[in-house]
Amino acid sequence: MMATSPILEAWEACDKVDTLFIIVCTVICWTIVPTVGIAYGGYTWKRNGMSAAIPAVLVIATCSIQWFVVGYTLSYGSGGLFFGGFEHLFHKGVLSEPVGTIPAILFSEFQLVFEATVCAIAIGGFCERGRILPIIPFIVLWATFIYNPLAHSVWGGGLLGEDLGVLDFAGGTPVHVCSGATATAISIYLSYPLFRSSPSRSTQQRTPSHIRLHRPGNSFFQLLSLIIIWGSWLAFDAGTTLSLSFQSVMALCVTNLCASAGALTWGLINFYESGKWSIDAIFMGAISGLVMITPAAGFVDMPTSFLLGVIGASFCRQALRIKFTKFAHHWRWVDNGDTFATHCLGGILATICTGLFAKKEVAAYGGVEIAGGVFFDGNIRQLWIQIVEALIGFSWSFIGSYVIIALIDCVPGLEVLATDKQIHEGLDHNETEEGFFIEYPDEVDYRPTDKRIALD
């Protein structure tokens, strides 16, 4: 009789229903990553669409390799407060040994989707001004030194999750605050590239400037992105339980309700102000709802999720007004992907609201014991824990990302800011071989800047 291998013995110990459930969730969630690129491609100026979409595809390839080599072990290896150990370097020993009730390699693949999703959102800071080539080394360094430590700290047995006791179900801080703070750091650096490499200083071809506001270049891409991201995020939150339980069902349901409340709230606000319906407004409202529910999906009930959707959309809608102000124009404030208003500020609000509204009764649906939040369980301490998590996550992501992008910019040939002429013409013409194109009658002569530059 052939001896049974240890790998197959470990596989037999895994729950096949839970494994199938997470396989399905992983496949569904994977579509979020390229779809974020489609969303950015639809939101940007018509001549920047492809250059805004391609980086999300690069994220898939680059993060997959980084995660295989070192990302997984830094995030989920045994170790210190912020970094895991190196016992799983190159995925050593990551096969069928159960993590909970599913194989370790499936757990790894599902968590890879988290890293890639956060990265795809974060690089929105490059939209319409940043070159594509520097994005690749940025992804590698950012994943290794920004995301992986945060993931380990919150979910891998590190400082915030294990020692401090934060409540972060699917990524209020590691996903939304981190991506929003990173995109903001990139955008600010593109406005103030203080460490630009010397060849750029001498040529005067890269002049940091504000980008004029414009309508979305392709509203169909926004509609398509809304459909895919909304549906896939249901699996994103439901799969976070890592097993098929009633908590999975609740996470899916509260996620949908919160996104629905956000979409309708933002859409109605826009209709009240303009008298017209906007897919852009509905899209942003749904995203704000998804942001609000992500850290709380396993801890709140249906009425609370509805309330969070309304609060999130109302708050993020007001935060979005910042980019329309004279202050934003004067200080070159660019938030073309709306990541600061929705993911960064919305993620901070979501993290805090989780401390306010979490219910230990709901967490128990998945066999999880928590002390609960302020309003339902009287745990005031949880509010301060959540605030500390948000502050640490923002500071770590913003400062670290700014340093990384500055270091890359110091390398000749990896200048992160496109030239004035490239920005004025549109990056698709200079950075890619293809492009998206759509014309608005009142924007035929639109240019991102007021400069008069001779074009070839």
Short mmCIF file of all heavy atoms in Angstrom, two decimals, residues 310-352:
data_model
loop_
_atom_site.label_atom_id
_atom_site.label_comp_id
_atom_site.label_asym_id
_atom_site.label_seq_id
_atom_site.Cartn_x
_atom_site.Cartn_y
_atom_site.Cartn_z
N VAL A 310 -25.50 55.81 5.37
CA VAL A 310 -25.95 57.21 5.27
C VAL A 310 -24.89 58.16 5.82
O VAL A 310 -24.57 59.19 5.20
CB VAL A 310 -27.28 57.38 6.04
CG1 VAL A 310 -27.69 58.86 6.06
CG2 VAL A 310 -28.38 56.53 5.42
N ILE A 311 -24.33 57.80 6.97
CA ILE A 311 -23.29 58.65 7.58
C ILE A 311 -22.08 58.75 6.66
O ILE A 311 -21.54 59.83 6.43
CB ILE A 311 -22.87 58.08 8.96
CG1 ILE A 311 -24.02 58.20 9.95
CG2 ILE A 311 -21.63 58.80 9.49
CD1 ILE A 311 -23.74 57.52 11.29
N GLY A 312 -21.64 57.62 6.14
CA GLY A 312 -20.44 57.60 5.31
C GLY A 312 -20.59 58.42 4.04
O GLY A 312 -19.70 59.19 3.68
N ALA A 313 -21.72 58.25 3.35
CA ALA A 313 -21.94 59.00 2.11
C ALA A 313 -22.04 60.50 2.38
O ALA A 313 -21.48 61.31 1.63
CB ALA A 313 -23.21 58.50 1.42
N SER A 314 -22.74 60.87 3.44
CA SER A 314 -22.88 62.30 3.77
C SER A 314 -21.53 62.91 4.12
O SER A 314 -21.19 64.02 3.67
CB SER A 314 -23.85 62.47 4.94
OG SER A 314 -25.12 61.91 4.64
N PHE A 315 -20.74 62.19 4.90
CA PHE A 315 -19.43 62.70 5.31
C PHE A 315 -18.46 62.78 4.13
O PHE A 315 -17.80 63.81 3.91
CB PHE A 315 -18.85 61.78 6.39
CG PHE A 315 -17.44 62.12 6.79
CD1 PHE A 315 -17.17 63.15 7.67
CD2 PHE A 315 -16.37 61.39 6.27
CE1 PHE A 315 -15.86 63.46 8.03
CE2 PHE A 315 -15.06 61.68 6.62
CZ PHE A 315 -14.81 62.72 7.52
N CYS A 316 -18.36 61.71 3.36
CA CYS A 316 -17.42 61.69 2.24
C CYS A 316 -17.82 62.69 1.15
O CYS A 316 -16.95 63.26 0.48
CB CYS A 316 -17.32 60.29 1.65
SG CYS A 316 -16.56 59.07 2.76
N ARG A 317 -19.11 62.90 0.97
CA ARG A 317 -19.57 63.90 -0.01
C ARG A 317 -19.08 65.29 0.38
O ARG A 317 -18.65 66.06 -0.47
CB ARG A 317 -21.11 63.88 -0.09
CG ARG A 317 -21.68 64.91 -1.07
CD ARG A 317 -21.35 64.54 -2.49
NE ARG A 317 -21.90 65.48 -3.45
CZ ARG A 317 -21.30 66.60 -3.85
NH1 ARG A 317 -20.12 66.90 -3.35
NH2 ARG A 317 -21.86 67.38 -4.75
N GLN A 318 -19.14 65.59 1.65
CA GLN A 318 -18.64 66.90 2.10
C GLN A 318 -17.12 66.96 1.99
O GLN A 318 -16.56 67.99 1.59
CB GLN A 318 -19.06 67.15 3.55
CG GLN A 318 -20.57 67.31 3.74
CD GLN A 318 -21.13 68.41 2.85
OE1 GLN A 318 -21.91 68.17 1.93
NE2 GLN A 318 -20.72 69.64 3.11
N ALA A 319 -16.44 65.87 2.33
CA ALA A 319 -14.97 65.86 2.23
C ALA A 319 -14.51 66.04 0.80
O ALA A 319 -13.45 66.64 0.54
CB ALA A 319 -14.43 64.54 2.80
N LEU A 320 -15.30 65.56 -0.16
CA LEU A 320 -14.93 65.67 -1.56
C LEU A 320 -14.91 67.12 -2.04
O LEU A 320 -14.23 67.46 -3.01
CB LEU A 320 -15.91 64.86 -2.42
CG LEU A 320 -15.52 64.62 -3.88
CD1 LEU A 320 -14.27 63.78 -3.96
CD2 LEU A 320 -16.66 63.94 -4.63
N ARG A 321 -15.64 67.98 -1.34
CA ARG A 321 -15.70 69.38 -1.74
C ARG A 321 -14.35 70.08 -1.61
O ARG A 321 -14.15 71.15 -2.19
CB ARG A 321 -16.75 70.12 -0.92
CG ARG A 321 -18.18 69.60 -1.11
CD ARG A 321 -19.18 70.41 -0.27
NE ARG A 321 -20.49 69.81 -0.27
CZ ARG A 321 -21.42 70.00 -1.22
NH1 ARG A 321 -21.15 70.79 -2.25
NH2 ARG A 321 -22.60 69.42 -1.14
N ILE A 322 -13.45 69.50 -0.84
CA ILE A 322 -12.15 70.14 -0.63
C ILE A 322 -11.45 70.40 -1.95
O ILE A 322 -10.86 71.46 -2.16
CB ILE A 322 -11.26 69.25 0.28
CG1 ILE A 322 -11.87 69.12 1.67
CG2 ILE A 322 -9.85 69.82 0.38
CD1 ILE A 322 -11.14 68.15 2.57
N LYS A 323 -11.52 69.45 -2.87
CA LYS A 323 -10.76 69.58 -4.12
C LYS A 323 -11.34 70.64 -5.05
O LYS A 323 -10.70 71.00 -6.04
CB LYS A 323 -10.66 68.24 -4.82
CG LYS A 323 -11.90 67.76 -5.53
CD LYS A 323 -11.59 66.48 -6.29
CE LYS A 323 -12.76 66.05 -7.18
NZ LYS A 323 -12.44 64.85 -7.95
N PHE A 324 -12.53 71.15 -4.75
CA PHE A 324 -13.13 72.19 -5.58
C PHE A 324 -12.84 73.60 -5.07
O PHE A 324 -13.30 74.57 -5.65
CB PHE A 324 -14.65 71.99 -5.64
CG PHE A 324 -15.07 70.71 -6.32
CD1 PHE A 324 -15.34 69.58 -5.58
CD2 PHE A 324 -15.19 70.65 -7.70
CE1 PHE A 324 -15.72 68.40 -6.19
CE2 PHE A 324 -15.58 69.47 -8.32
CZ PHE A 324 -15.84 68.35 -7.57
N THR A 325 -12.10 73.70 -3.99
CA THR A 325 -11.88 75.00 -3.36
C THR A 325 -10.68 75.73 -3.97
O THR A 325 -9.81 75.14 -4.61
CB THR A 325 -11.64 74.82 -1.86
OG1 THR A 325 -10.45 74.04 -1.65
CG2 THR A 325 -12.82 74.11 -1.20
N LYS A 326 -10.63 77.06 -3.72
CA LYS A 326 -9.48 77.86 -4.13
C LYS A 326 -8.22 77.41 -3.38
O LYS A 326 -7.12 77.48 -3.91
CB LYS A 326 -9.75 79.34 -3.87
CG LYS A 326 -10.83 79.93 -4.77
CD LYS A 326 -11.00 81.42 -4.48
CE LYS A 326 -12.07 82.01 -5.41
NZ LYS A 326 -12.28 83.47 -5.12
N PHE A 327 -8.43 76.95 -2.16
CA PHE A 327 -7.31 76.43 -1.37
C PHE A 327 -6.63 75.28 -2.10
O PHE A 327 -5.41 75.21 -2.19
CB PHE A 327 -7.82 75.98 0.00
CG PHE A 327 -6.80 75.25 0.82
CD1 PHE A 327 -5.93 75.95 1.65
CD2 PHE A 327 -6.70 73.86 0.78
CE1 PHE A 327 -4.98 75.28 2.42
CE2 PHE A 327 -5.76 73.18 1.54
CZ PHE A 327 -4.90 73.90 2.36
N ALA A 328 -7.45 74.35 -2.62
CA ALA A 328 -6.91 73.19 -3.33
C ALA A 328 -6.13 73.63 -4.57
O ALA A 328 -5.05 73.11 -4.85
CB ALA A 328 -8.03 72.24 -3.72
N HIS A 329 -6.66 74.60 -5.31
CA HIS A 329 -5.98 75.07 -6.51
C HIS A 329 -4.67 75.77 -6.16
O HIS A 329 -3.64 75.56 -6.81
CB HIS A 329 -6.89 76.01 -7.28
CG HIS A 329 -6.32 76.46 -8.59
ND1 HIS A 329 -5.47 77.55 -8.69
CD2 HIS A 329 -6.46 75.97 -9.84
CE1 HIS A 329 -5.11 77.70 -9.96
NE2 HIS A 329 -5.70 76.76 -10.67
N HIS A 330 -4.71 76.57 -5.10
CA HIS A 330 -3.52 77.32 -4.72
C HIS A 330 -2.39 76.40 -4.27
O HIS A 330 -1.22 76.63 -4.61
CB HIS A 330 -3.87 78.31 -3.61
CG HIS A 330 -2.69 79.09 -3.11
ND1 HIS A 330 -2.13 80.12 -3.82
CD2 HIS A 330 -1.94 78.98 -1.97
CE1 HIS A 330 -1.10 80.63 -3.15
NE2 HIS A 330 -0.97 79.95 -2.02
N TRP A 331 -2.73 75.37 -3.53
CA TRP A 331 -1.72 74.47 -2.98
C TRP A 331 -1.54 73.21 -3.82
O TRP A 331 -0.97 72.23 -3.35
CB TRP A 331 -2.06 74.11 -1.54
CG TRP A 331 -1.95 75.28 -0.61
CD1 TRP A 331 -2.98 76.01 -0.10
CD2 TRP A 331 -0.75 75.88 -0.13
NE1 TRP A 331 -2.50 77.02 0.69
CE2 TRP A 331 -1.13 76.98 0.69
CE3 TRP A 331 0.61 75.61 -0.30
CZ2 TRP A 331 -0.19 77.78 1.33
CZ3 TRP A 331 1.55 76.41 0.33
CH2 TRP A 331 1.14 77.47 1.14
N ARG A 332 -2.01 73.23 -5.06
CA ARG A 332 -1.83 72.10 -6.00
C ARG A 332 -2.41 70.81 -5.44
O ARG A 332 -1.82 69.72 -5.61
CB ARG A 332 -0.36 71.90 -6.35
CG ARG A 332 0.37 73.13 -6.82
CD ARG A 332 1.85 72.81 -7.01
NE ARG A 332 2.68 74.01 -7.00
CZ ARG A 332 3.99 73.99 -6.73
NH1 ARG A 332 4.60 72.85 -6.44
NH2 ARG A 332 4.68 75.10 -6.74
N TRP A 333 -3.52 70.90 -4.74
CA TRP A 333 -4.14 69.72 -4.16
C TRP A 333 -4.88 68.95 -5.25
O TRP A 333 -5.81 69.44 -5.85
CB TRP A 333 -5.11 70.12 -3.06
CG TRP A 333 -5.87 68.95 -2.48
CD1 TRP A 333 -7.14 68.57 -2.79
CD2 TRP A 333 -5.39 68.01 -1.52
NE1 TRP A 333 -7.49 67.46 -2.07
CE2 TRP A 333 -6.43 67.09 -1.28
CE3 TRP A 333 -4.19 67.86 -0.84
CZ2 TRP A 333 -6.30 66.03 -0.39
CZ3 TRP A 333 -4.07 66.80 0.04
CH2 TRP A 333 -5.12 65.91 0.26
N VAL A 334 -4.45 67.73 -5.52
CA VAL A 334 -5.04 66.92 -6.57
C VAL A 334 -5.53 65.60 -5.96
O VAL A 334 -4.75 64.87 -5.35
CB VAL A 334 -4.03 66.63 -7.71
CG1 VAL A 334 -4.67 65.73 -8.76
CG2 VAL A 334 -3.55 67.94 -8.33
N ASP A 335 -6.81 65.30 -6.12
CA ASP A 335 -7.38 64.05 -5.61
C ASP A 335 -8.24 63.45 -6.71
O ASP A 335 -9.44 63.24 -6.56
CB ASP A 335 -8.21 64.33 -4.35
CG ASP A 335 -8.69 63.05 -3.66
OD1 ASP A 335 -8.06 62.00 -3.86
OD2 ASP A 335 -9.69 63.12 -2.93
N ASN A 336 -7.59 63.17 -7.86
CA ASN A 336 -8.33 62.75 -9.05
C ASN A 336 -9.04 61.41 -8.87
O ASN A 336 -10.03 61.15 -9.55
CB ASN A 336 -7.38 62.69 -10.25
CG ASN A 336 -7.07 64.07 -10.79
OD1 ASN A 336 -7.70 65.04 -10.39
ND2 ASN A 336 -6.11 64.17 -11.68
N GLY A 337 -8.54 60.56 -8.02
CA GLY A 337 -9.21 59.29 -7.77
C GLY A 337 -10.16 59.35 -6.59
O GLY A 337 -10.77 58.34 -6.22
N ASP A 338 -10.29 60.53 -5.98
CA ASP A 338 -11.13 60.75 -4.80
C ASP A 338 -10.77 59.79 -3.67
O ASP A 338 -11.62 59.44 -2.83
CB ASP A 338 -12.62 60.58 -5.15
CG ASP A 338 -13.10 61.68 -6.10
OD1 ASP A 338 -12.48 62.75 -6.12
OD2 ASP A 338 -14.07 61.45 -6.84
N THR A 339 -9.51 59.38 -3.62
CA THR A 339 -9.08 58.43 -2.60
C THR A 339 -8.95 59.08 -1.23
O THR A 339 -9.16 58.42 -0.21
CB THR A 339 -7.74 57.80 -2.99
OG1 THR A 339 -6.84 58.82 -3.43
CG2 THR A 339 -7.92 56.79 -4.11
N PHE A 340 -8.58 60.36 -1.19
CA PHE A 340 -8.45 61.02 0.10
C PHE A 340 -9.82 61.17 0.77
O PHE A 340 -9.99 60.85 1.95
CB PHE A 340 -7.80 62.40 -0.07
CG PHE A 340 -7.72 63.19 1.22
CD1 PHE A 340 -6.80 62.86 2.21
CD2 PHE A 340 -8.58 64.26 1.44
CE1 PHE A 340 -6.73 63.58 3.39
CE2 PHE A 340 -8.53 64.99 2.62
CZ PHE A 340 -7.60 64.65 3.59
N ALA A 341 -10.80 61.62 0.00
CA ALA A 341 -12.13 61.88 0.57
C ALA A 341 -12.83 60.59 0.98
O ALA A 341 -13.47 60.54 2.03
CB ALA A 341 -12.98 62.65 -0.44
N THR A 342 -12.73 59.55 0.14
CA THR A 342 -13.49 58.33 0.41
C THR A 342 -12.70 57.32 1.23
O THR A 342 -13.13 56.91 2.31
CB THR A 342 -13.95 57.69 -0.91
OG1 THR A 342 -12.82 57.53 -1.79
CG2 THR A 342 -14.99 58.55 -1.59
N HIS A 343 -11.55 56.90 0.73
CA HIS A 343 -10.81 55.82 1.40
C HIS A 343 -10.06 56.30 2.64
O HIS A 343 -10.08 55.63 3.68
CB HIS A 343 -9.84 55.16 0.42
CG HIS A 343 -10.53 54.44 -0.68
ND1 HIS A 343 -11.09 53.19 -0.52
CD2 HIS A 343 -10.77 54.80 -1.96
CE1 HIS A 343 -11.65 52.80 -1.66
NE2 HIS A 343 -11.47 53.75 -2.55
N CYS A 344 -9.40 57.45 2.55
CA CYS A 344 -8.60 57.92 3.70
C CYS A 344 -9.49 58.45 4.82
O CYS A 344 -9.55 57.87 5.91
CB CYS A 344 -7.61 58.98 3.25
SG CYS A 344 -6.49 59.52 4.56
N LEU A 345 -10.21 59.55 4.55
CA LEU A 345 -11.08 60.11 5.59
C LEU A 345 -12.25 59.18 5.89
O LEU A 345 -12.62 59.01 7.06
CB LEU A 345 -11.59 61.48 5.14
CG LEU A 345 -10.53 62.58 4.96
CD1 LEU A 345 -11.19 63.91 4.60
CD2 LEU A 345 -9.69 62.73 6.23
N GLY A 346 -12.81 58.56 4.86
CA GLY A 346 -13.89 57.60 5.09
C GLY A 346 -13.43 56.40 5.88
O GLY A 346 -14.15 55.89 6.75
N GLY A 347 -12.20 55.92 5.61
CA GLY A 347 -11.66 54.78 6.35
C GLY A 347 -11.42 55.10 7.81
O GLY A 347 -11.64 54.27 8.70
N ILE A 348 -10.94 56.34 8.07
CA ILE A 348 -10.76 56.76 9.47
C ILE A 348 -12.09 56.80 10.19
O ILE A 348 -12.23 56.30 11.32
CB ILE A 348 -10.07 58.14 9.51
CG1 ILE A 348 -8.61 58.03 9.02
CG2 ILE A 348 -10.10 58.72 10.92
CD1 ILE A 348 -7.91 59.36 8.87
N LEU A 349 -13.11 57.38 9.54
CA LEU A 349 -14.44 57.43 10.14
C LEU A 349 -14.99 56.02 10.37
O LEU A 349 -15.58 55.73 11.42
CB LEU A 349 -15.39 58.22 9.24
CG LEU A 349 -16.84 58.33 9.72
CD1 LEU A 349 -16.92 59.09 11.05
CD2 LEU A 349 -17.71 59.00 8.67
N ALA A 350 -14.79 55.13 9.40
CA ALA A 350 -15.29 53.76 9.52
C ALA A 350 -14.63 53.03 10.68
O ALA A 350 -15.29 52.29 11.44
CB ALA A 350 -15.03 53.00 8.21
N THR A 351 -13.32 53.23 10.84
CA THR A 351 -12.59 52.59 11.94
C THR A 351 -13.12 53.06 13.28
O THR A 351 -13.31 52.27 14.21
CB THR A 351 -11.09 52.89 11.82
OG1 THR A 351 -10.60 52.36 10.57
CG2 THR A 351 -10.30 52.27 12.96
N ILE A 352 -13.37 54.36 13.40
CA ILE A 352 -13.90 54.92 14.65
C ILE A 352 -15.32 54.43 14.89
O ILE A 352 -15.67 54.05 16.02
CB ILE A 352 -13.84 56.45 14.60
CG1 ILE A 352 -12.37 56.92 14.57
CG2 ILE A 352 -14.58 57.07 15.79
CD1 ILE A 352 -12.21 58.41 14.35
#
